[in-house]
Amino acid sequence: MSFQALQTRETDTGYTNSLVERELSELGEGGVLVRVQWSSLNYKDALSATGNKGVTRKFPHTPGIDAVGVVEEASDGPFSVGDAVICTGYDLGMNTDGGYAEYIRVPAEWLVPLPDGLAPRDAMLLGTAGLTAALSVESLLDTGVNPDQGPVLVTGATGGVGSVCVAILAKLGFEVVAVSGKADASEWLAALGAARIIDREAFLESAVKPMAKEQWAGAVDCVGGEMLAAALKGLKYGGSATCCGLAGSPKLEMTVFPFILRGVNLLGVDSVELPCEIKQQMWQLLADEWMPKEAALLEAAETDLAGVSDWVDRILAGGVRGRVVVKLPSQ
């Protein structure tokens, strides 16, 4: 049986993406065969689709770190034919062929049930970005951060993780301050729940010294580099910042002063190798009380497999606002 997939190939002049016909036998045997209905576009997908060897080592390859669909075969594990499932993280879309294909074959341990009441398309409207946002919010709450302590900062607020964080935190009653370099996104961020928007360059200029004014009860950083450093410098005494991105830079260049003079915390957030049990808990929250009130506003675009390459270029250039969902032909 053949199926359609987007495939990234290495050539003498670089990497190309094209639609190909593949055979189910090429996916191997065992595990769980899932007919993919929807996927989404993430920064890591764009890196994989352009040949970043830190993400994907062997080509040809099918990117797509997110997938939602229906079980077609299950040789092991708790799933049965017809079950609706979500797969995010682990090796999907990295060195295991990913969600930009009508079928994936993965270990049962990589799958979680699609929560009741959550439509497949909405699951990918959230995707890895939504899961990471939920984990970031949960990490802050676990440290005791609450709305009475003051505003919470979200950097990279127009990105996938940032925009979902803005919406979740606002729904939980926090005063959300969003940092963005996109001047035309202010009304959209306000609609998601941001109480205030700060220009990215102005924010960075306010934190050039080793310590900045105490302002934030907590922070969610989706950018890394100097943006993360600036967020840490402005935390209130005992405050916490989560870190989940490196689009700005993987380096953190700053003094230890905020840590030893204000007792602040830096909390790493990973959604890739997280145990499935925790992922399932987060997905249930996202499907229920944490579902953003303005969920429809999170979407920036919808594309099919043929249009993914154009969106890859845009996300790498910083030109994507919110989320991009990918509709598979089998939908």
Short mmCIF file of all heavy atoms in Angstrom, two decimals, residues 117-119 121-127 130 159-160 163-171 188-193 283 285-301 321-325:
data_model
loop_
_atom_site.label_atom_id
_atom_site.label_comp_id
_atom_site.label_asym_id
_atom_site.label_seq_id
_atom_site.Cartn_x
_atom_site.Cartn_y
_atom_site.Cartn_z
N GLY A 117 -13.38 15.21 23.75
CA GLY A 117 -13.75 16.61 23.58
C GLY A 117 -12.72 17.44 22.85
O GLY A 117 -12.98 18.61 22.55
N LEU A 118 -11.53 16.87 22.58
CA LEU A 118 -10.49 17.61 21.86
C LEU A 118 -10.46 17.10 20.42
O LEU A 118 -10.11 15.95 20.16
CB LEU A 118 -9.14 17.42 22.53
CG LEU A 118 -7.96 18.21 21.92
CD1 LEU A 118 -8.21 19.71 22.02
CD2 LEU A 118 -6.65 17.84 22.60
N ALA A 119 -10.83 17.96 19.48
CA ALA A 119 -10.83 17.57 18.07
C ALA A 119 -9.40 17.38 17.58
O ALA A 119 -8.48 18.06 18.05
CB ALA A 119 -11.54 18.64 17.23
N ARG A 121 -7.89 18.35 14.92
CA ARG A 121 -7.30 19.60 14.42
C ARG A 121 -6.89 20.52 15.56
O ARG A 121 -5.82 21.15 15.52
CB ARG A 121 -8.29 20.31 13.50
CG ARG A 121 -7.73 21.55 12.81
CD ARG A 121 -8.81 22.17 11.92
NE ARG A 121 -8.31 23.31 11.20
CZ ARG A 121 -8.18 24.52 11.72
NH1 ARG A 121 -8.52 24.72 12.99
NH2 ARG A 121 -7.72 25.52 10.99
N ASP A 122 -7.72 20.60 16.60
CA ASP A 122 -7.39 21.44 17.75
C ASP A 122 -6.18 20.91 18.50
O ASP A 122 -5.41 21.69 19.07
CB ASP A 122 -8.59 21.53 18.70
CG ASP A 122 -9.72 22.36 18.13
OD1 ASP A 122 -9.47 23.13 17.18
OD2 ASP A 122 -10.86 22.24 18.63
N ALA A 123 -6.00 19.59 18.50
CA ALA A 123 -4.82 19.02 19.14
C ALA A 123 -3.55 19.51 18.47
O ALA A 123 -2.55 19.80 19.13
CB ALA A 123 -4.89 17.49 19.10
N MET A 124 -3.58 19.63 17.14
CA MET A 124 -2.40 20.12 16.43
C MET A 124 -2.32 21.64 16.40
O MET A 124 -1.25 22.21 16.17
CB MET A 124 -2.36 19.56 15.01
CG MET A 124 -2.10 18.07 14.97
SD MET A 124 -0.46 17.56 15.61
CE MET A 124 -0.85 17.11 17.32
N LEU A 125 -3.44 22.30 16.63
CA LEU A 125 -3.40 23.74 16.84
C LEU A 125 -2.55 24.04 18.07
O LEU A 125 -1.85 25.05 18.14
CB LEU A 125 -4.82 24.27 17.03
CG LEU A 125 -5.00 25.77 17.24
CD1 LEU A 125 -4.42 26.55 16.07
CD2 LEU A 125 -6.47 26.11 17.41
N LEU A 126 -2.57 23.13 19.03
CA LEU A 126 -1.72 23.22 20.21
C LEU A 126 -0.38 22.53 19.94
O LEU A 126 0.68 23.15 19.97
CB LEU A 126 -2.42 22.58 21.41
CG LEU A 126 -3.70 23.31 21.85
CD1 LEU A 126 -4.52 22.44 22.78
CD2 LEU A 126 -3.36 24.63 22.53
N GLY A 127 -0.39 21.24 19.68
CA GLY A 127 0.81 20.50 19.31
C GLY A 127 1.90 20.56 20.37
O GLY A 127 1.65 20.79 21.55
N GLY A 130 1.87 23.77 22.35
CA GLY A 130 0.90 23.82 23.44
C GLY A 130 1.32 22.97 24.61
O GLY A 130 1.16 23.36 25.78
N GLY A 159 5.19 33.62 19.11
CA GLY A 159 5.48 32.27 18.65
C GLY A 159 4.46 31.27 19.15
O GLY A 159 3.53 31.60 19.90
N GLY A 160 4.65 30.01 18.76
CA GLY A 160 3.70 28.98 19.15
C GLY A 160 3.61 28.79 20.64
O GLY A 160 2.52 28.85 21.22
N SER A 163 2.49 32.27 22.50
CA SER A 163 1.09 32.67 22.35
C SER A 163 0.17 31.78 23.19
O SER A 163 -0.79 32.26 23.80
CB SER A 163 0.68 32.64 20.88
OG SER A 163 0.85 31.36 20.31
N VAL A 164 0.46 30.48 23.24
CA VAL A 164 -0.36 29.59 24.07
C VAL A 164 -0.16 29.92 25.55
O VAL A 164 -1.11 29.91 26.34
CB VAL A 164 -0.03 28.11 23.78
CG1 VAL A 164 -0.88 27.20 24.68
CG2 VAL A 164 -0.30 27.77 22.32
N CYS A 165 1.09 30.23 25.94
CA CYS A 165 1.35 30.61 27.33
C CYS A 165 0.57 31.86 27.72
O CYS A 165 0.00 31.93 28.82
CB CYS A 165 2.85 30.86 27.55
SG CYS A 165 3.79 29.38 27.93
N VAL A 166 0.56 32.85 26.85
CA VAL A 166 -0.19 34.08 27.12
C VAL A 166 -1.65 33.73 27.40
O VAL A 166 -2.26 34.21 28.37
CB VAL A 166 -0.08 35.07 25.94
CG1 VAL A 166 -1.07 36.22 26.11
CG2 VAL A 166 1.34 35.62 25.83
N ALA A 167 -2.22 32.90 26.55
CA ALA A 167 -3.64 32.55 26.68
C ALA A 167 -3.92 31.76 27.96
O ALA A 167 -4.90 32.02 28.67
CB ALA A 167 -4.09 31.77 25.45
N ILE A 168 -3.06 30.77 28.27
CA ILE A 168 -3.29 29.95 29.47
C ILE A 168 -3.12 30.78 30.73
O ILE A 168 -3.96 30.74 31.64
CB ILE A 168 -2.32 28.75 29.50
CG1 ILE A 168 -2.62 27.78 28.36
CG2 ILE A 168 -2.44 28.01 30.84
CD1 ILE A 168 -1.63 26.63 28.26
N LEU A 169 -2.04 31.54 30.82
CA LEU A 169 -1.78 32.34 32.02
C LEU A 169 -2.90 33.36 32.25
O LEU A 169 -3.33 33.58 33.39
CB LEU A 169 -0.44 33.04 31.89
CG LEU A 169 0.79 32.15 32.05
CD1 LEU A 169 2.04 32.86 31.56
CD2 LEU A 169 0.97 31.71 33.50
N ALA A 170 -3.37 33.98 31.17
CA ALA A 170 -4.47 34.95 31.31
C ALA A 170 -5.73 34.26 31.81
O ALA A 170 -6.44 34.80 32.66
CB ALA A 170 -4.73 35.63 29.97
N LYS A 171 -5.99 33.06 31.31
CA LYS A 171 -7.18 32.33 31.75
C LYS A 171 -7.08 31.98 33.23
O LYS A 171 -8.10 31.92 33.94
CB LYS A 171 -7.36 31.07 30.92
CG LYS A 171 -8.65 30.33 31.23
CD LYS A 171 -8.90 29.18 30.28
CE LYS A 171 -10.26 28.54 30.58
NZ LYS A 171 -10.56 27.42 29.68
N TRP A 188 -3.60 41.47 18.59
CA TRP A 188 -3.77 40.03 18.67
C TRP A 188 -3.35 39.50 20.04
O TRP A 188 -4.06 38.70 20.66
CB TRP A 188 -2.96 39.37 17.57
CG TRP A 188 -2.98 37.86 17.58
CD1 TRP A 188 -4.07 37.06 17.39
CD2 TRP A 188 -1.87 37.00 17.79
NE1 TRP A 188 -3.70 35.73 17.46
CE2 TRP A 188 -2.36 35.66 17.70
CE3 TRP A 188 -0.52 37.21 18.02
CZ2 TRP A 188 -1.52 34.56 17.85
CZ3 TRP A 188 0.31 36.10 18.17
CH2 TRP A 188 -0.19 34.80 18.09
N LEU A 189 -2.21 39.96 20.56
CA LEU A 189 -1.73 39.54 21.87
C LEU A 189 -2.71 39.99 22.97
O LEU A 189 -2.96 39.25 23.93
CB LEU A 189 -0.33 40.08 22.14
CG LEU A 189 0.79 39.44 21.33
CD1 LEU A 189 2.10 40.21 21.52
CD2 LEU A 189 0.98 37.98 21.74
N ALA A 190 -3.24 41.17 22.81
CA ALA A 190 -4.23 41.65 23.79
C ALA A 190 -5.48 40.78 23.76
O ALA A 190 -6.07 40.47 24.80
CB ALA A 190 -4.59 43.10 23.50
N ALA A 191 -5.89 40.35 22.57
CA ALA A 191 -7.05 39.48 22.46
C ALA A 191 -6.79 38.12 23.10
O ALA A 191 -7.70 37.50 23.66
CB ALA A 191 -7.43 39.30 20.99
N LEU A 192 -5.55 37.67 23.05
CA LEU A 192 -5.20 36.40 23.70
C LEU A 192 -5.18 36.53 25.22
O LEU A 192 -5.26 35.53 25.93
CB LEU A 192 -3.81 35.93 23.23
CG LEU A 192 -3.72 35.36 21.81
CD1 LEU A 192 -2.27 35.02 21.47
CD2 LEU A 192 -4.59 34.14 21.65
N GLY A 193 -5.05 37.76 25.72
CA GLY A 193 -5.08 37.96 27.16
C GLY A 193 -3.94 38.77 27.75
O GLY A 193 -3.87 38.97 28.97
N TRP A 283 -2.08 16.99 28.39
CA TRP A 283 -3.07 17.04 27.31
C TRP A 283 -4.48 17.10 27.88
O TRP A 283 -5.35 17.77 27.31
CB TRP A 283 -2.92 15.83 26.37
CG TRP A 283 -1.86 16.04 25.34
CD1 TRP A 283 -0.66 15.40 25.24
CD2 TRP A 283 -1.90 16.96 24.25
NE1 TRP A 283 0.06 15.88 24.17
CE2 TRP A 283 -0.68 16.83 23.54
CE3 TRP A 283 -2.84 17.89 23.81
CZ2 TRP A 283 -0.39 17.60 22.42
CZ3 TRP A 283 -2.55 18.66 22.69
CH2 TRP A 283 -1.34 18.51 22.01
N LEU A 285 -5.32 18.57 30.70
CA LEU A 285 -5.49 19.96 31.13
C LEU A 285 -5.79 20.86 29.93
O LEU A 285 -6.66 21.73 29.99
CB LEU A 285 -4.24 20.45 31.86
CG LEU A 285 -4.05 19.99 33.30
CD1 LEU A 285 -2.66 20.37 33.80
CD2 LEU A 285 -5.12 20.60 34.21
N LEU A 286 -5.03 20.66 28.85
CA LEU A 286 -5.23 21.48 27.66
C LEU A 286 -6.61 21.27 27.04
O LEU A 286 -7.19 22.18 26.45
CB LEU A 286 -4.14 21.17 26.62
CG LEU A 286 -2.74 21.71 26.93
CD1 LEU A 286 -1.71 21.10 25.99
CD2 LEU A 286 -2.71 23.23 26.83
N ALA A 287 -7.13 20.06 27.18
CA ALA A 287 -8.44 19.76 26.60
C ALA A 287 -9.57 20.24 27.49
O ALA A 287 -10.72 20.33 27.05
CB ALA A 287 -8.58 18.26 26.38
N ASP A 288 -9.23 20.58 28.73
CA ASP A 288 -10.28 20.89 29.71
C ASP A 288 -10.09 22.32 30.23
O ASP A 288 -10.27 23.30 29.51
CB ASP A 288 -10.23 19.87 30.85
CG ASP A 288 -11.47 19.93 31.73
OD1 ASP A 288 -12.40 20.69 31.41
OD2 ASP A 288 -11.50 19.22 32.75
N GLU A 289 -9.69 22.46 31.52
CA GLU A 289 -9.68 23.78 32.14
C GLU A 289 -8.60 24.72 31.62
O GLU A 289 -8.69 25.93 31.81
CB GLU A 289 -9.58 23.68 33.67
CG GLU A 289 -8.34 22.97 34.18
CD GLU A 289 -8.65 21.56 34.62
OE1 GLU A 289 -9.39 20.87 33.89
OE2 GLU A 289 -8.16 21.16 35.69
N TRP A 290 -7.57 24.19 30.96
CA TRP A 290 -6.54 25.07 30.42
C TRP A 290 -6.73 25.39 28.94
O TRP A 290 -5.91 26.08 28.36
CB TRP A 290 -5.14 24.47 30.63
CG TRP A 290 -4.65 24.60 32.05
CD1 TRP A 290 -5.37 24.94 33.15
CD2 TRP A 290 -3.31 24.38 32.50
NE1 TRP A 290 -4.58 24.94 34.26
CE2 TRP A 290 -3.31 24.60 33.91
CE3 TRP A 290 -2.12 24.01 31.88
CZ2 TRP A 290 -2.15 24.47 34.67
CZ3 TRP A 290 -0.97 23.88 32.64
CH2 TRP A 290 -0.99 24.11 34.02
N MET A 291 -7.76 24.87 28.33
CA MET A 291 -8.01 25.22 26.94
C MET A 291 -8.20 26.73 26.84
O MET A 291 -9.09 27.29 27.48
CB MET A 291 -9.25 24.51 26.41
CG MET A 291 -9.68 24.97 25.01
SD MET A 291 -8.41 24.77 23.73
CE MET A 291 -8.51 23.01 23.43
N PRO A 292 -7.33 27.42 26.08
CA PRO A 292 -7.44 28.88 26.00
C PRO A 292 -8.83 29.33 25.56
O PRO A 292 -9.42 28.75 24.64
CB PRO A 292 -6.37 29.25 24.96
CG PRO A 292 -5.38 28.12 25.02
CD PRO A 292 -6.21 26.90 25.30
N LYS A 293 -9.34 30.35 26.23
CA LYS A 293 -10.66 30.88 25.88
C LYS A 293 -10.71 31.35 24.44
O LYS A 293 -11.72 31.26 23.77
CB LYS A 293 -11.03 32.04 26.82
CG LYS A 293 -11.34 31.62 28.23
CD LYS A 293 -11.85 32.80 29.06
CE LYS A 293 -10.79 33.89 29.20
NZ LYS A 293 -11.25 34.99 30.10
N GLU A 294 -9.57 31.89 23.98
CA GLU A 294 -9.51 32.42 22.62
C GLU A 294 -8.73 31.47 21.71
O GLU A 294 -7.86 31.88 20.94
CB GLU A 294 -8.84 33.80 22.63
CG GLU A 294 -9.49 34.81 23.55
CD GLU A 294 -10.89 35.16 23.13
OE1 GLU A 294 -11.25 34.89 21.97
OE2 GLU A 294 -11.64 35.72 23.94
N ALA A 295 -9.02 30.17 21.82
CA ALA A 295 -8.24 29.17 21.09
C ALA A 295 -8.22 29.43 19.59
O ALA A 295 -7.21 29.21 18.93
CB ALA A 295 -8.80 27.78 21.38
N ALA A 296 -9.33 29.93 19.07
CA ALA A 296 -9.39 30.17 17.63
C ALA A 296 -8.37 31.20 17.18
O ALA A 296 -7.91 31.20 16.05
CB ALA A 296 -10.79 30.61 17.23
N LEU A 297 -7.97 32.10 18.10
CA LEU A 297 -7.02 33.14 17.75
C LEU A 297 -5.59 32.63 17.68
O LEU A 297 -4.70 33.31 17.18
CB LEU A 297 -7.09 34.29 18.76
CG LEU A 297 -8.39 35.08 18.78
CD1 LEU A 297 -8.37 36.09 19.92
CD2 LEU A 297 -8.60 35.79 17.46
N LEU A 298 -5.34 31.42 18.21
CA LEU A 298 -3.98 30.90 18.21
C LEU A 298 -3.51 30.55 16.81
O LEU A 298 -2.33 30.54 16.51
CB LEU A 298 -3.90 29.64 19.09
CG LEU A 298 -4.16 29.83 20.58
CD1 LEU A 298 -4.18 28.47 21.27
CD2 LEU A 298 -3.11 30.72 21.20
N GLU A 299 -4.45 30.24 15.93
CA GLU A 299 -4.07 29.77 14.59
C GLU A 299 -3.63 30.92 13.70
O GLU A 299 -4.29 31.94 13.60
CB GLU A 299 -5.25 29.04 13.94
CG GLU A 299 -4.90 28.50 12.57
CD GLU A 299 -6.11 27.88 11.90
OE1 GLU A 299 -7.16 27.76 12.57
OE2 GLU A 299 -6.00 27.53 10.73
N ALA A 300 -2.50 30.75 13.05
CA ALA A 300 -2.04 31.73 12.07
C ALA A 300 -2.32 31.26 10.65
O ALA A 300 -2.57 32.06 9.77
CB ALA A 300 -0.55 32.00 12.24
N ALA A 301 -2.28 29.95 10.43
CA ALA A 301 -2.44 29.46 9.06
C ALA A 301 -2.72 27.98 9.05
O ALA A 301 -2.49 27.27 10.02
CB ALA A 301 -1.17 29.74 8.26
N ARG A 321 3.42 34.01 12.89
CA ARG A 321 2.74 34.46 14.10
C ARG A 321 1.79 33.36 14.55
O ARG A 321 0.92 32.94 13.80
CB ARG A 321 1.96 35.74 13.81
CG ARG A 321 1.43 36.43 15.06
CD ARG A 321 0.72 37.72 14.71
NE ARG A 321 -0.67 37.51 14.35
CZ ARG A 321 -1.51 38.51 14.05
NH1 ARG A 321 -1.07 39.76 14.05
NH2 ARG A 321 -2.77 38.26 13.75
N GLY A 322 1.98 32.89 15.79
CA GLY A 322 1.10 31.85 16.30
C GLY A 322 1.44 30.48 15.75
O GLY A 322 2.59 30.08 15.73
N ARG A 323 0.44 29.76 15.28
CA ARG A 323 0.61 28.36 14.90
C ARG A 323 0.29 28.13 13.43
O ARG A 323 -0.45 28.90 12.81
CB ARG A 323 -0.32 27.49 15.76
CG ARG A 323 -0.04 27.55 17.23
CD ARG A 323 1.23 26.78 17.59
NE ARG A 323 0.96 25.35 17.47
CZ ARG A 323 1.87 24.48 17.05
NH1 ARG A 323 3.05 24.87 16.65
NH2 ARG A 323 1.57 23.18 17.00
N VAL A 324 0.86 27.06 12.89
CA VAL A 324 0.55 26.59 11.55
C VAL A 324 0.17 25.12 11.65
O VAL A 324 0.96 24.31 12.16
CB VAL A 324 1.75 26.75 10.59
CG1 VAL A 324 1.39 26.24 9.20
CG2 VAL A 324 2.20 28.20 10.52
N VAL A 325 -1.03 24.77 11.22
CA VAL A 325 -1.46 23.37 11.22
C VAL A 325 -1.35 22.82 9.82
O VAL A 325 -1.50 23.53 8.82
CB VAL A 325 -2.89 23.22 11.76
CG1 VAL A 325 -2.94 23.56 13.25
CG2 VAL A 325 -3.88 24.07 10.99
#
